[in-house]
Amino acid sequence: MTTQTAALEIVALTPAFAAVAAALHQTGFEDCWDETAICDLLAVPGAFGLLAFVPKGRQFNRETVVDDRPLGFVLVQTVLDEAEINTIVVDAKARRHGVGNVLMQGVFARLQNQASTRLLLEVACDNAAAIALYGKLGFVEIGRRRGYYRRKEGPAMDALVMERV
């Protein structure tokens, strides 16, 4: 664990954190989800979320955190022995500091306890950092959804469908 990720804590993402999650989602997506959408996803049977934050008083990115600072979250839906990441986002200021990796490790641990054998996700084909992370974590590309991500400016972007077994 690096110094940066040692400062992180992971907690269950509950509806009580929906406003925090919605604010984080705005930092990562043009088509962002509001509190209601996040609560609706958490209410789906088999769904769960994890929230990464730095507690007050700890060091992160060379500064002491004054108040608890949320850095990212992931929402996952499970059905039988399969799971899919509905969304994962890391605050722009916290990217490339291991937050995504810590969230994914939390997902893996949770799914292992549930005996899930397959994890799926979709990622924009121009998101090189996320694709690299997923590759390091054992995901492989199994498909592509053409024009899946609509952009306010520029062309729609394909989504890579990735799987980890």
Side-chain angles (χ1 to χ4, degrees), residues 54-69:
V54 178
K56 174 182 177 177
R58 289 203 188 154
Q59 289 277 320
F60 186 80
N61 204 14
R62 294 184 237 182
E63 70 177 78
T64 301
V65 174
V66 177
D67 291 311
D68 290 351
R69 182 182 300 163

Side-chain angles (χ1 to χ4, degrees), residues 6 11 23 25 43 51 68 88 91 96 102 106 113-114 123 143 157 162:
V11 295
H25 210 257
L51 174 69
D68 290 351
I88 181 170
D91 184 86
R96 300 196 183 269
V102 169
N113 292 336
Q114 295 179 347
V123 59
M157 194 58 54
M162 302 185 82

Side-chain angles (χ1 to χ4, degrees), residues 116-128:
S116 290
T117 59
R118 182 179 191 216
L119 178 59
L120 299 163
L121 61 80
E122 293 159 343
V123 59
C125 66
D126 65 345
N127 190 343

Side-chain angles (χ1 to χ4, degrees), residues 12-27 29 31-45 47-51 72-77 86-89:
L13 178 64
T14 65
F17 295 120
V20 169
L24 281 166
H25 210 257
Q26 289 180 359
T27 71
F29 294 94
D31 186 18
C32 52
W33 297 346
D34 62 15
E35 293 176 49
T36 301
I38 290 167
C39 287
D40 288 349
L41 283 167
L42 287 170
V44 172
F48 69 91
L50 301 173
L51 174 69
F73 76 94
V74 60
L75 277 170
V76 181
Q77 186 172 349
N86 293 117
T87 193
I88 181 170
V89 65

